[in-house]
Amino acid sequence: MLEIELCGIKLTNPTILAAGVMGSTAASLNWAYRSGAGAVVTKSFSKEPNEGYKNPTTVAVEGGIINAIGLSNPGLSAFKKELNQLDNEVKVAASIYGSSPGEFAEIAAEMEDLVDFLELNVSCPHAMEGCGASIGQDPELTFAVVKAVKNEVSIPIITKLTPNVTDLTEIALSAVNAGTDALTLINSLGPGIKIDLETGLPILSNKVGGMSGPAIKPIALRCVYEVFKVVDVPIIGVGGIVKFQDVLEFLFAGASAVQIGTAIMYQGLEVFTEISNGLEKYMLENNYSKVEDLVGISHKI
Ligand SMILES: Cc1cc2nc3c(=O)[nH]c(=O)nc-3n(C[C@H](O)[C@H](O)[C@H](O)COP(=O)(O)O)c2cc1C
């Protein structure tokens, strides 16, 4: 009943592990999938290893957490080894990033035979110069990155966007016009800051970081709602989901699937089955036979 088709690929349910949370090893990706995720996304990785920022890289705040990990990752060849060890049935997206269209395309080409989808991270709010949100805040750069990857691979491309822009629909349309097959909305919001009352200094080593968790849900929902009106590709909603009612809101706003990140830190991987069970019960009680019928209900009036 919960099965969906995303860019032609069947998922057992619409809940997906978000990039950056438990996505660094085959063992943790397999574990998330076995725990009930309909698909999993790797931590974002680049061509070369990247150490990222020094600790502390995450701090809890009211309504969520702020993180500035700095896209730390062991690089493409290490990730290829992990992806080779995934269980056969795992539906997986490789989240990749780079500093130029060519770099994105180079990594993408190496992923074609290893993963079901690519997720282009052009949206990290605390990436180094030239990466992350500095691409996704510029419609032309976004177009160039998506186009370069589209020319390189035939697997579905998902572009993950940042809410930290004046007009998200403009960026979304750039990605769609360049050939993205789906959009993920949104990456963490920000940057935000948390001050240590003892020292008076920012807690994170990078000082500022991206905000995630329940406090950002209304903004993520607004992004999905707004972009749904102008694009014809599926949207994956993400930001602050902790329970099935949150998923319903995202589906109604126009998401075809959802991702879950921060909730896993508080609720564990059980969150996937809890949400799926709640969603299934809701659908049975309200006479819905497929998830698709819930998508975009907010726009039907
Ligand atoms: C600790 C942490 C690390 C993250 N790392 C990445 C990442 O590597 N790539 C990416 O696209 N998003 C990353 N994100 C953003 C999440 O995938 C997600 O878009 C965001 O946290 C909002 O969802 P949530 O409120 O369910 O966590 C990270 C989030 C957190 C909390």
Side-chain angles (χ1 to χ4, degrees):
M1 180 181 218
L2 294 184
E3 192 175 274
I4 62 159
E5 205 172 292
L6 186 64
C7 307
I9 292 168
K10 281 205 168 79
L11 309 188
T12 52
N13 71 76
T15 66
I16 300 171
L17 175 75
V21 181
M22 293 196 64
S24 295
T25 64
S28 61
L29 290 163
N30 284 334
W31 186 20
Y33 193 79
R34 284 182 212 142
S35 301
V40 293
V41 184
T42 66
K43 167 133 196 70
S44 297
F45 60 90
S46 44
K47 195 174 153 200
E48 301 300 334
N50 170 21
E51 273 188 17
Y53 302 126
K54 292 200 178 77
N55 280 329
T57 52
T58 57
V59 60
V61 293
E62 269 174 58
I65 65 169
I66 301 179
N67 91 82
I69 293 175
L71 294 174
S72 65
N73 77 91
L76 173 62
S77 25
F79 256 94
K80 280 173 76 173
K81 284 190 195 129
E82 294 299 329
L83 290 167
N84 268 315
Q85 291 171 52
L86 282 181
D87 293 342
N88 273 343
E89 69 273 20
V90 176
K91 298 285 184 282
V92 61
S95 170
I96 63 170
Y97 76 92
S99 59
S100 67
E103 208 178 320
F104 270 91
E106 222 177 302
I107 309 169
E110 303 261 343
M111 287 294 112
E112 175 109 55
D113 300 329
L114 280 176
V115 296
D116 301 283
F117 311 87
L118 282 171
E119 187 175 81
L120 311 182
N121 179 355
V122 292
S123 44
C124 178
H126 50 79
M128 349 19 131
E129 191 70 30
C131 296
S134 60
I135 297 173
Q137 286 166 336
D138 180 324
E140 280 160 28
L141 279 177
T142 302
F143 184 93
V145 165
V146 176
K147 188 84 185 157
V149 175
K150 189 75 185 174
N151 287 342
E152 196 64 48
V153 297
S154 53
I155 53 172
I157 301 168
I158 305 166
T159 309
K160 184 171 181 181
L161 299 180
T162 171
N164 306 325
V165 290
T166 310
D167 181 5
L168 185 57
T169 60
E170 185 190 9
I171 310 283
L173 284 169
S174 275
V176 170
N177 292 337
T180 198
D181 298 286
L183 294 166
T184 297
L185 309 175
I186 55 175
N187 209 318
S188 44
L189 178 74
I193 202 162
K194 165 85 178 158
I195 306 283
D196 184 339
L197 293 183
E198 301 268 310
T199 62
L201 300 172
I203 289 181
L204 298 179
S205 77
N206 186 52
K207 298 184 178 61
V208 301
M211 173 88 188
S212 63
I216 74 165
K217 193 187 80 179
I219 292 168
L221 276 171
R222 185 266 301 162
C223 291
V224 171
Y225 184 85
E226 209 170 76
V227 171
F228 180 81
K229 288 179 193 290
V230 299
V231 302
D232 53 4
V233 299
I235 298 172
I236 303 167
V238 51
I241 294 172
V242 302
K243 54 188 189 299
F244 84 88
Q245 291 91 338
D246 300 326
V247 175
L248 279 178
E249 281 191 82
F250 273 96
L251 296 172
F252 291 166
S256 297
V258 295
Q259 293 181 356
I260 300 170
T262 303
I264 292 161
M265 298 178 188
Y266 293 94
Q267 293 164 244
L269 288 167
E270 292 74 30
V271 69
F272 290 110
T273 14
E274 280 163 19
I275 285 180
S276 285
N277 291 343
L279 194 57
E280 193 164 55
K281 189 161 175 279
Y282 172 89
M283 287 172 67
L284 285 169
E285 284 169 1
N286 292 278
N287 297 320
Y288 287 104
S289 57
K290 40 187 200 311
V291 174
E292 208 183 304
D293 295 338
L294 299 166
V295 176
I297 281 182
S298 311
H299 301 267
K300 292 193 172 137
I301 307 142

